[in-house]
Structure formats: C-alpha cells, structure tokens
Amino acid sequence: MQQILNFIIRNKNFLLYLLLFSLSVFFTIQTHSYHKSKFINSANFLSGGIYTRLNNINQYLDLKTQNENLSEENARLRNRLQNHHLSIEEDFVDTTSFNGTYLFRPVRVIKNSYSATTNILLIDKGLNDSVQQDFGLITPKGILGIVDKTSNNYATVISILNSKSKISAQLKKTNHFGTLTWDGRSPKTVQLIDIPKIAPIEIGDTIVTSGRSVIFPKGIQVGTIESYNLDAAENNYEINVTLFNDMTNIEHAYIIEHLDAPEINNILNLSNEQ
C-alpha cells in the first residue's frame, strides 16, 4: 500500500494531467454527436478485431475436437449411405453383401509404415472399441488395409502396401474381378492380377472393391489403371493401379465391420467341413 501511495505522490502531476485529459475527451464526445459516433465506430472496430482474433485462436485450439466430431458425423453418414446403396443395388448380387449391414467407426492412424515390404498401420482403437481381426480400414478416398492384431486400446492393420496383402477388387465398369497385391516397389501403386483377358480395360479405368468377402463392401474405391499387360500364360491381365490414397500421409480413417460376418463365416466353415 505504501508503494502505491509513493508512486501516486511521485507522479501526481502526470496523473492529474491524465485525469483532466480523460475528462475533456469524455465531455467532448458526450456533447458532440459527430465525435460520439466516431468514438463508437472506433471502439466497435477495435473490440471486433480483438474478438475476431480470440475466436480464431479458440477455433485453432479446438481443431482436434472439431475433427473428431466431423469424423463421427462422417461415419454416421457413411453408414446410412453404404447400407442404403446395398439395399437398392440390383445389377450385381453377391452372397456376402446381399442384405448385409456394415458399421463404420472413425479411428486415427497413429503409426504408418510404407517403405518396407510388409508395412503395417497402428490405429488408436482396439477391443474396448469392438475392433476385431479382419475388419477393413478405409478413408473417404479408398481402402487402407485389414485389421490383423488387436489389444484393448490399439490394433495393427496389414497395409495395402504389404506383400502378404490380398484383397478382392474389380473393374468398376464391369464385374470382372481379381486379387489386389503389392510388388513392394512404389507406395503409390499396387497390382491387380487374375483379371481375364476378355475383360474390356483401359488406362484410367477405376478399380473398386468387389464385395466378394466379408471385409469390404462392394464399391469402395482403390485407384485407377496406370498400365497393364498379359501374364506369362497370356490368359490374364496384370494391372498396375495408382492408388487414390496418399499412403505416405494418412491420419483419419474408418473401421468397417460387417455385422453378418460371424454368421457367414460360420456357415462357410460348416460347408468346408463336409
């Protein structure tokens, strides 16, 4: 308290000047409409600028929450869209997708390898979030891989850039299907093999999942045809496919669960035992 009093005594002339100046400005603004309107406009401009910057900072700090909310909303929309698509599709009937129900959940990729020959991804969801082996992983641009191992809170995914990966895929414009593999070279390109040479293909054609498994529904994007040639026996095409996904830059993704998969796998196992 004594320091405050000492400060006021030392600067009494300057403080008196500030008080008188402030009073004169106040009375000038109050008694002149022009000055009053200018002051209000200036104050609004200043406060508006401050609030705008504070709001921008808050929005930036809240980006993580916003991204999570958007991912959850996109998952709900994708669930509705995919299952509606399956219910009205009539040009192709597949035993694993007919009347099937798929569930999409947002996840985050927290580790991603793409320079080895057996690449994997690590996601931030596991058994506690109902993630299990053989669930599919995609982004809005296309497929990423298949869940391999799970712990309570995490799961590893066999990347599409893995020499052991084998995924059923087809030409979007026809029902000719084959197996999607990777030759271990470029992270931008995978290979589609076993496409019969009678299939009409062109560079630039789109490749999608075929729906002939309980992992991915039909029609999930993969990429476009970059080049192709006949195999050694000259019966099938070997096709290089440029991926829609940039596999070197993956963060937000979706887990796909086929809710009828246990029943389908069970009846298939029973048939194989006979």
Side-chain angles (χ1 to χ4, degrees), residues 66-83:
Q66 292 182 31
N67 283 334
E68 290 174 351
N69 291 337
L70 285 173
S71 294
E72 291 174 0
E73 178 64 20
N74 286 337
R76 287 193 292 271
L77 293 174
R78 185 173 286 275
N79 284 324
R80 186 177 303 175
L81 179 63
Q82 183 64 43
N83 291 309

Side-chain angles (χ1 to χ4, degrees), residues 185-232:
R185 298 178 182 176
S186 171
K188 297 179 180 179
T189 308
V190 295
Q191 287 67 48
L192 180 61
I193 60 175
D194 299 331
I195 296 291
K197 67 178 181 179
I198 62 171
I201 65 174
E202 296 179 2
I203 292 176
D205 283 351
T206 299
I207 304 300
V208 298
T209 54
S210 68
R212 289 174 169 83
S213 75
V214 293
I215 299 175
F216 296 105
K218 181 187 176 186
I220 301 295
Q221 294 193 115
V222 177
T224 57
I225 295 178
E226 176 185 303
S227 62
Y228 59 91
N229 58 270
L230 290 172
D231 60 14

Side-chain angles (χ1 to χ4, degrees), residues 50-101:
I50 293 173
Y51 284 127
T52 298
R53 284 168 175 76
L54 289 174
N55 184 59
N56 289 339
I57 292 172
N58 289 332
Q59 286 183 341
Y60 178 78
L61 295 176
D62 197 43
L63 279 178
K64 181 179 179 181
T65 301
Q66 292 182 31
N67 283 334
E68 290 174 351
N69 291 337
L70 285 173
S71 294
E72 291 174 0
E73 178 64 20
N74 286 337
R76 287 193 292 271
L77 293 174
R78 185 173 286 275
N79 284 324
R80 186 177 303 175
L81 179 63
Q82 183 64 43
N83 291 309
H84 175 69
H85 170 71
L86 289 175
S87 68
I88 64 173
E89 186 177 69
E90 296 178 355
D91 63 329
F92 173 75
V93 177
D94 186 271
T95 55
T96 61
S97 64
F98 184 70
N99 290 330
T101 301

Side-chain angles (χ1 to χ4, degrees), residues 6 9 25 38 46 62 80 100 108 116 120 128 145 159 172-173 187 189 206 220 239-240 251 268:
N6 291 336
I9 293 172
V25 170
K38 286 294 184 180
L46 179 61
D62 197 43
R80 186 177 303 175
R108 192 164 64 90
I120 64 168
N128 290 341
S159 171
K172 183 178 181 179
K173 67 181 182 180
T189 308
T206 299
I220 301 295
I239 303 173
N240 288 317
E251 182 176 4
L268 289 176

Side-chain angles (χ1 to χ4, degrees), residues 3-274:
Q3 292 179 349
I4 296 175
L5 292 174
N6 291 336
F7 174 80
I8 294 174
I9 293 172
R10 285 197 309 269
N11 299 279
K12 59 182 182 297
N13 292 331
F14 177 71
L15 293 175
L16 178 61
Y17 167 77
L18 284 181
L19 176 62
L20 294 175
F21 177 77
S22 299
L23 287 173
S24 64
V25 170
F26 173 75
F27 286 121
T28 299
I29 292 172
Q30 288 297 317
T31 56
H32 295 80
S33 59
Y34 174 79
H35 293 86
K36 187 174 182 178
S37 64
K38 286 294 184 180
F39 174 77
I40 292 174
N41 290 337
S42 299
N44 288 340
F45 175 79
L46 179 61
S47 61
I50 293 173
Y51 284 127
T52 298
R53 284 168 175 76
L54 289 174
N55 184 59
N56 289 339
I57 292 172
N58 289 332
Q59 286 183 341
Y60 178 78
L61 295 176
D62 197 43
L63 279 178
K64 181 179 179 181
T65 301
Q66 292 182 31
N67 283 334
E68 290 174 351
N69 291 337
L70 285 173
S71 294
E72 291 174 0
E73 178 64 20
N74 286 337
R76 287 193 292 271
L77 293 174
R78 185 173 286 275
N79 284 324
R80 186 177 303 175
L81 179 63
Q82 183 64 43
N83 291 309
H84 175 69
H85 170 71
L86 289 175
S87 68
I88 64 173
E89 186 177 69
E90 296 178 355
D91 63 329
F92 173 75
V93 177
D94 186 271
T95 55
T96 61
S97 64
F98 184 70
N99 290 330
T101 301
Y102 291 87
L103 183 62
F104 293 77
R105 298 188 186 93
V107 298
R108 192 164 64 90
V109 177
I110 57 178
K111 187 178 185 302
N112 175 27
S113 64
Y114 48 85
S115 57
T117 56
T118 54
N119 295 298
I120 64 168
L121 302 95
L122 180 66
I123 59 175
D124 64 347
K125 295 289 189 296
L127 294 174
N128 290 341
D129 302 284
S130 301
V131 174
Q132 298 180 18
Q133 188 180 41
D134 291 336
F135 282 10
L137 183 69
I138 68 168
T139 73
K141 291 184 177 180
I143 64 174
L144 293 178
I146 300 172
V147 173
D148 181 28
K149 294 179 174 59
T150 58
S151 64
N152 287 336
N153 299 301
Y154 302 95
T156 57
V157 177
I158 296 176
S159 171
I160 194 175
L161 301 182
N162 189 308
S163 58
K164 298 179 181 179
S165 173
K166 295 185 184 301
I167 298 172
S168 181
Q170 70 174 54
L171 300 170
K172 183 178 181 179
K173 67 181 182 180
T174 73
N175 291 328
H176 294 96
F177 67 95
T179 302
L180 210 60
T181 62
W182 187 53
D183 61 8
R185 298 178 182 176
S186 171
K188 297 179 180 179
T189 308
V190 295
Q191 287 67 48
L192 180 61
I193 60 175
D194 299 331
I195 296 291
K197 67 178 181 179
I198 62 171
I201 65 174
E202 296 179 2
I203 292 176
D205 283 351
T206 299
I207 304 300
V208 298
T209 54
S210 68
R212 289 174 169 83
S213 75
V214 293
I215 299 175
F216 296 105
K218 181 187 176 186
I220 301 295
Q221 294 193 115
V222 177
T224 57
I225 295 178
E226 176 185 303
S227 62
Y228 59 91
N229 58 270
L230 290 172
D231 60 14
E234 296 190 351
N235 292 322
N236 299 307
Y237 284 118
E238 295 178 344
I239 303 173
N240 288 317
V241 180
T242 301
L243 295 171
F244 286 128
N245 273 319
D246 178 0
M247 296 299 294
T248 67
N249 183 24
I250 300 294
E251 182 176 4
H252 297 285
Y254 298 96
I255 281 289
I256 303 179
E257 177 185 358
H258 192 322
L259 298 179
D260 294 335
E263 180 181 353
I264 293 169
N265 288 330
N266 183 57
I267 194 169
L268 289 176
N269 291 334
L270 290 175
S271 298
N272 291 333
E273 291 174 359
Q274 294 178 356

